[in-house]
């Protein structure tokens, strides 16, 4: 009952946030968060570095993802310090991969790719979790926690990417095709439910010239679908249905990642099948193998859930500092715009001088 109420309240807040975001983030004024003056121009203006809502929303998505990761692990008795070690071990691999793979596929030096980051994380996570748990043999003495932690990684990734897609709406990236160009049975629905982006600095404008056009709301569908999967997966996880939770969250999310590429208009590399879609297929087969291995092992898994332990992460200094520090780093990593710049001029308000 408590589990259901917590997730229901979280769902209500999430729905309200999505409704607001879908209405407002495609607008021009929701791309640039702030401008930091750095140097003077010959005309007396200031050259500015732009901080974006993309970075702010991405950092928020990471925060919620980390909170869910720590909460779910702690509710099963996984120490916070071990969650932190595993987390940073995977981030050290996936964050650089988000730029390196995007650079190789899209031929752009300043881009990021969530798909690339998730692919690297998928490949690395079973090994990272296994290695660190082998170093903490006391934890695995009664139960096998490796699949438990792998499950929480998948769930927290899913909620993070779901909420993180709002950042794409703000920046105008990862955008869908024009409504007139899609061929879906529900096409009539999307003639009413679509996105129209405004602002010449939105990626959809300068890359594809689709400013003011009705486009398929692929980011919104991904946000809703992934968040729903994460919430359902969390409920099943807390009820000890680990394998069902894993299957429900991971495989539909990767299948949608593959299918959604056909509805996107942004450049995803050459060819009808993008390299990101190939990564999704590899991830599905890879995790199917991992799942088969865990099923064959038939190791005992934790059978109790302690929500009080999970809520305790908000009083744990290591967890709180990790969440805040990681979110701040993500904001700097993704929020400092490398494709836009600003010019500002400051004035005195005469009536306010007194």
């Amino acid at each position: 009952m408590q589990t259901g109420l917590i997730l229901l309240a979280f769902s209500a807040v999430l729905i309200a946030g999505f409704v607001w975001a879908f209405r407002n983030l495609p607008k021009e004024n929701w791309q640039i968060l702030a401008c930091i003056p750095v140097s003077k121009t010959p005309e007396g203006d200031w050259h500015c570095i732009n901080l974006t809502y993309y970075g702010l929303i991405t950092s928020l998505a990471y925060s919620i993802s980390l909170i869910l990761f720590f909460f779910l692990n702690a509710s099963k008795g996984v120490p916070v310090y071990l969650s932190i070690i595993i987390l940073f071990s995977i981030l050290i691999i996936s964050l650089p991969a988000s730029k390196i793979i995007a650079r190789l596929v899209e031929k752009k030096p300043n881009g990021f790719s969530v798909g690339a980051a998730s692919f690297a994380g998928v490949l690395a996570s079973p090994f990272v979790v296994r290695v660190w748990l082998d170093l903490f043999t006391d934890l695995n003495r009664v139960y096998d926690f490796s699949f438990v932690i792998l499950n929480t990684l998948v769930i927290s990734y899913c909620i993070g990417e779901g909420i993180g897609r709002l950042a794409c709406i703000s920046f105008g990236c990862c955008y869908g095709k024009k409504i007139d160009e899609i061929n879906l049975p529900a096409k009539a629905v999307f003639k009413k439910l679509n996105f129209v982006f405004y602002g010449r600095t939105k990626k959809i404008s300068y890359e594809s010239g689709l400013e003011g056009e009705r486009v398929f709301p692929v980011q919104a569908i991904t946000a809703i679908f992934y968040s729903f999967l994460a919430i359902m997966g969390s409920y099943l996880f807390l009820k000890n249905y680990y394998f069902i939770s894993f299957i429900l969250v991971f495989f539909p999310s990767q299948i949608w990642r593959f299918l959604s590429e056909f509805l996107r208009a942004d450049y995803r590399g050459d060819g009808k099948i993008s390299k990101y879609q190939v990564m999704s297929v590899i991830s599905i087969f890879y995790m199917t193998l991992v799942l088969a291995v865990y099923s064959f092992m038939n190791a005992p898994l934790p059978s109790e859930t302690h929500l009080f332990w999970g809520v305790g992460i908000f009083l744990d200094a290591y967890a709180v500092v990790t969440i805040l520090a990681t979110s701040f780093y993500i904001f700097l990593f993704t929020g400092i715009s490398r494709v836009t710049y600003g010019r500002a001029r400051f004035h005195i308000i005469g009536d306010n001088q007194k």
Side-chain angles (χ1 to χ4, degrees):
M1 185 64 178
Q2 291 176 331
T3 302
L5 288 175
I6 291 174
L7 293 176
L8 187 62
F10 177 70
S11 300
V13 173
L14 206 57
I15 291 171
F18 282 166
V19 170
W20 179 91
F22 297 160
R23 289 178 177 175
N24 291 281
L25 292 181
K27 298 175 182 177
E28 184 174 6
N29 59 311
W30 285 100
Q31 181 180 0
I32 304 301
L33 169 67
C35 297
I36 302 177
V38 290
S39 63
K40 273 280 187 81
T41 69
E43 297 80 13
D45 298 339
W46 285 91
H47 279 298
C48 300
I49 294 175
N50 292 335
L51 302 179
T52 63
Y53 282 105
Y54 181 96
L56 181 64
I57 297 171
T58 302
S59 68
L60 175 63
Y62 265 85
S63 298
I64 295 173
S65 177
L66 294 181
I67 289 171
L68 188 59
F69 178 63
F70 290 147
F71 172 81
L72 293 177
N73 280 340
S75 69
K76 296 297 182 178
V78 178
V80 168
Y81 70 85
L82 182 56
S83 295
I84 294 173
I85 292 172
I86 291 172
L87 167 72
F88 279 109
S89 298
I90 294 174
L91 286 179
I92 287 172
I93 297 170
S94 61
L95 281 179
S98 71
K99 293 198 68 173
I100 295 171
I101 297 177
R103 186 178 301 165
L104 293 174
V105 173
E106 301 177 37
K107 309 296 191 264
K108 295 179 180 179
N110 296 311
F112 307 99
S113 171
V114 176
S118 66
F119 178 67
V122 164
L123 296 183
S125 56
F127 297 100
V128 170
V129 171
R130 186 77 259 175
V131 167
W132 284 113
L133 277 172
D134 285 344
L135 295 176
F136 297 95
T137 53
D138 287 345
L139 189 63
N140 266 357
R141 185 170 51 190
V142 179
Y143 300 115
D144 182 9
F145 279 88
S146 54
F147 188 71
V148 171
I149 298 175
L150 198 62
N151 201 337
T152 59
L153 282 169
V154 169
I155 293 171
S156 58
Y157 150 76
C158 212
I159 194 66
E161 178 158 359
I163 297 174
R165 285 300 168 181
L166 302 183
C168 300
I169 301 174
S170 169
F171 198 74
C173 61
C174 307
Y175 47 90
K177 294 181 178 179
K178 292 174 63 174
I179 295 297
D180 295 336
E181 295 177 356
I182 64 171
N183 185 19
L184 291 174
K187 183 175 180 179
V189 174
F190 294 107
K191 285 187 176 180
K192 296 182 178 180
L193 300 177
N194 51 68
F195 281 147
V196 179
F197 291 89
Y198 295 100
R200 61 185 179 85
T201 56
K202 298 266 191 182
K203 188 174 182 181
I204 189 173
S205 300
Y206 65 75
E207 184 179 68
S208 297
L210 294 177
E211 181 181 6
E213 299 281 355
R214 294 184 302 168
V215 297
F216 187 79
V218 63
Q219 307 101 319
I221 294 176
T222 303
I224 294 170
F225 184 54
Y226 274 44
S227 299
F228 170 77
L229 292 179
I231 291 169
M232 290 301 299
S234 298
Y235 180 80
L236 292 169
F237 174 87
L238 293 171
K239 294 296 183 181
N240 301 322
Y241 297 109
Y242 300 109
F243 281 92
I244 297 176
S245 171
F246 185 91
I247 292 170
L248 172 70
V249 175
F250 182 78
F251 293 104
S253 66
Q254 293 302 310
I255 291 171
W256 172 247
R257 177 176 287 282
F258 178 86
L259 295 177
S260 64
E261 294 274 326
F262 294 115
L263 300 170
R264 289 174 59 168
D266 56 322
Y267 179 70
R268 310 296 291 157
D270 299 324
K272 293 183 178 180
I273 302 295
S274 74
K275 291 182 175 61
Y276 294 112
Q277 288 174 298
V278 173
M279 292 177 201
S280 296
V281 173
I282 293 173
S283 297
I284 290 172
F285 282 104
Y286 178 75
M287 275 304 181
T288 300
L289 178 62
V290 170
L291 193 64
V293 170
Y294 278 111
S295 300
F296 179 78
M297 290 170 57
N298 197 28
L301 300 173
S303 57
E304 294 183 358
T305 299
H306 301 276
L307 293 180
F308 182 77
W309 293 355
V311 175
I313 66 165
F314 295 105
L315 301 177
D316 188 290
Y318 293 109
V320 172
V321 170
T322 298
I323 293 168
L324 293 176
T326 303
S327 299
F328 181 69
Y329 172 76
I330 293 299
F331 175 69
L332 296 180
F333 186 73
T334 62
I336 299 176
S337 179
R338 295 167 178 82
V339 295
T340 66
Y341 77 96
R343 294 187 69 171
R345 177 173 294 181
F346 302 99
H347 305 275
I348 298 294
I349 301 176
D351 293 340
N352 292 344
Q353 294 183 46
K354 299 178 181 178

